[in-house]
Amino acid sequence: MAVMAGWASAQKGEVVKVVRIDPLTGLLGPVGVNQDKSYKYFAEKFSGAGNPAGVKFEFETIDNKLSPAESLNALKAAIDKGVRYVAQGNGSSVALALVDAINKHNERNPGKEVLYLNDSAVDPDLTNSKCSFWHFRFDADTSMKIEAMSSYIKDSLPDVKKVFLLNQNYSHGHQVAKYAKEALKRKRPDIEIVGEDLHPLAQVRDFAPYIAKIKASGADMVITGNWGSDLALLVKAANEGGYNGKFFTYYTGVTGTPTALGKSGEGRVYQVAYGHYNMGGQAQKWLDEFKAKYNDDMYTLAIPRIFEMLGAAMAKAKSTDPVKVAKAMEGLKVNTFNGEIEMRKADHQLQQPLYITVWQKADAKNPYSPENTGMTLVAVKEYPNYVSSTPTSCQMKRPG
């Protein structure tokens, strides 16, 4: 009862522990290690006077080795330690397992509810058929990114006629292929899908056979949701195999891929994302400070939004109780580094701008160079919240 009583209102200086369940080892470990640093950096930035509730954020990561089963063990360990805020992002298969487990835990353990903060898992089902009151997504989902990507292809890349879809063989990769086919048919019916392939997640070390297949298909563009080593090794194989077509990606800016691209790919590799490396303003200050501190590039800009939203929701709820905070976060609007964002009440999908960027040489106007490659991602188009938004089929069940 003493613990519960302490939650009656958010106390200045109260500690809120956030645990992230994500890979720190294996082929995709470098991405998780980078994000672990990003969470620690922002937990410090947004603690105390950094948030309107005055709470102190503490953060740690539990290595799940990208395994749903390991993730459920990690979730249990975190809950047993009294953690009420869980974060995750790398792998929608893990995200779907966590949503299911957290739904069951919260139903069986009233008064000990856990909130799930999703920074990167983009399977649209998470805010549609599998939507949950306990899940909040801070990234833009695959359908939102494909909406922006396909609009850009329609309006700005008329020379693209043949597309190859290459994706990781799990829920996220399947959804990228599905939504890309649907959107291109609707917006650019002249484009031919000349090939479609799925490969095992984080297991392929040589993508040369895939590049040979892509070249043989005559594709002038590859659309891929690959991330981490699966994108870095793909672009490396494309460079070595002499594939000169375009790439439309989600994660070019993520650990390892800038180095794999190097000076090649200029003007041919695009990314759709909710942020980029040359945004100016507050985001730029964070990026520069993070690089100076860690000698690494910070790219998961969903993380400051999580802390911004949590702080605002805890101040509004006058509590750190996850049930009250979740209710306060529904429909919440926050002014952040690129304007006003809103946590849509209907499905807990953050509504935010999306940017199309292209890989090119860093210059005075776009000076930030990821992994010191001398190259960068330059914004060529911004889609505001209402354009990048997509409808939801979520039928959310809320606690009484």
Side-chain angles (χ1 to χ4, degrees), residues 297-324:
D297 304 301
M298 189 264 292
Y299 44 77
T300 312
L301 286 163
I303 296 169
R305 288 175 164 167
I306 285 174
F307 288 115
E308 283 170 329
M309 278 265 174
L310 277 182
M314 285 168 182
K316 183 180 170 187
K318 297 186 172 60
S319 175
T320 57
D321 177 347
V323 183
K324 292 176 182 173

Side-chain angles (χ1 to χ4, degrees), residues 32 40 85 139 154 174 259 289 302 304 327 330 379 397:
K40 284 169 181 162
Y85 291 90
D139 200 339
K154 175 177 79 75
H174 295 201
T259 297
E289 189 178 282
K327 286 177 178 173
E330 290 197 307
K397 293 186 186 119

Side-chain angles (χ1 to χ4, degrees), residues 99-227:
V99 165
D100 188 48
I102 288 168
N103 285 344
K104 286 172 182 164
H105 166 82
N106 289 354
E107 202 175 313
R108 292 168 189 159
N109 298 277
K112 293 183 178 176
E113 291 87 354
V114 171
L115 217 55
Y116 169 26
L117 311 161
N118 173 358
D119 58 61
S120 307
V122 294
D123 185 334
D125 285 349
L126 288 158
T127 46
N128 287 287
S129 62
K130 307 276 190 191
C131 71
S132 165
F133 176 76
W134 309 108
H135 165 268
F136 290 84
R137 175 157 42 207
F138 292 82
D139 200 339
D141 80 13
T142 287
S143 67
M144 297 165 76
K145 288 178 179 175
I146 291 286
E147 201 58 36
M149 180 191 292
S150 57
S151 290
Y152 187 77
I153 292 170
K154 175 177 79 75
D155 297 337
S156 303
L157 298 175
D159 54 325
V160 172
K161 303 291 185 191
K162 294 181 175 183
V163 166
F164 196 104
L165 304 170
L166 181 68
N167 287 286
Q168 296 151 319
N169 190 9
Y170 78 112
S171 54
H172 161 60
H174 295 201
Q175 296 283 28
V176 172
K178 172 190 158 188
Y179 281 96
K181 282 186 282 193
E182 185 272 323
L184 290 174
K185 189 176 179 183
R186 181 162 38 96
K187 296 182 190 179
R188 281 287 305 275
D190 60 306
I191 286 180
E192 185 186 352
I193 305 293
V194 293
E196 183 179 348
D197 230 330
L198 295 163
H199 64 81
L201 175 66
Q203 290 176 40
V204 179
R205 293 181 181 272
D206 180 14
F207 278 87
Y210 293 98
I211 293 299
K213 208 183 220 183
I214 290 163
K215 285 176 76 175
S217 75
D220 45 43
M221 173 177 276
V222 176
I223 292 177
T224 180
N226 279 20
W227 57 279

Side-chain angles (χ1 to χ4, degrees), residues 166-373:
L166 181 68
N167 287 286
Q168 296 151 319
N169 190 9
Y170 78 112
S171 54
H172 161 60
H174 295 201
Q175 296 283 28
V176 172
K178 172 190 158 188
Y179 281 96
K181 282 186 282 193
E182 185 272 323
L184 290 174
K185 189 176 179 183
R186 181 162 38 96
K187 296 182 190 179
R188 281 287 305 275
D190 60 306
I191 286 180
E192 185 186 352
I193 305 293
V194 293
E196 183 179 348
D197 230 330
L198 295 163
H199 64 81
L201 175 66
Q203 290 176 40
V204 179
R205 293 181 181 272
D206 180 14
F207 278 87
Y210 293 98
I211 293 299
K213 208 183 220 183
I214 290 163
K215 285 176 76 175
S217 75
D220 45 43
M221 173 177 276
V222 176
I223 292 177
T224 180
N226 279 20
W227 57 279
S229 63
D230 284 340
L231 183 58
L233 293 172
L234 173 64
V235 298
K236 179 174 178 279
N239 288 345
E240 291 168 356
Y243 175 67
N244 296 315
K246 293 179 170 68
F247 278 90
F248 224 124
T249 76
Y250 281 32
Y251 301 116
T252 289
V254 173
T255 304
T257 304
T259 297
L261 269 170
K263 299 281 189 284
S264 66
E266 184 171 4
R268 294 191 293 110
V269 179
Y270 295 84
Q271 174 180 278
V272 56
Y274 58 83
H276 60 86
Y277 279 124
N278 293 285
M279 296 187 71
Q282 180 60 64
Q284 210 65 49
K285 288 176 190 160
W286 287 334
L287 281 159
D288 293 340
E289 189 178 282
F290 185 87
K291 189 159 191 168
K293 184 172 183 174
Y294 294 106
N295 192 29
D296 200 355
D297 304 301
M298 189 264 292
Y299 44 77
T300 312
L301 286 163
I303 296 169
R305 288 175 164 167
I306 285 174
F307 288 115
E308 283 170 329
M309 278 265 174
L310 277 182
M314 285 168 182
K316 183 180 170 187
K318 297 186 172 60
S319 175
T320 57
D321 177 347
V323 183
K324 292 176 182 173
V325 171
K327 286 177 178 173
M329 207 154 19
E330 290 197 307
L332 189 63
K333 294 179 181 178
V334 171
N335 271 314
T336 184
F337 54 82
N338 60 341
E340 188 179 75
I341 56 173
E342 178 184 357
M343 183 55 73
R344 187 161 66 183
K345 184 176 180 177
D347 60 347
H348 298 182
Q349 170 62 60
L350 193 70
Q351 304 296 296
Q352 57 190 328
L354 287 176
Y355 302 88
I356 308 295
T357 53
V358 66
W359 189 246
Q360 66 176 55
K361 286 186 180 73
D363 55 28
K365 195 177 172 191
N366 299 281
Y368 191 99
S369 177
E371 299 179 3
N372 304 317
T373 51

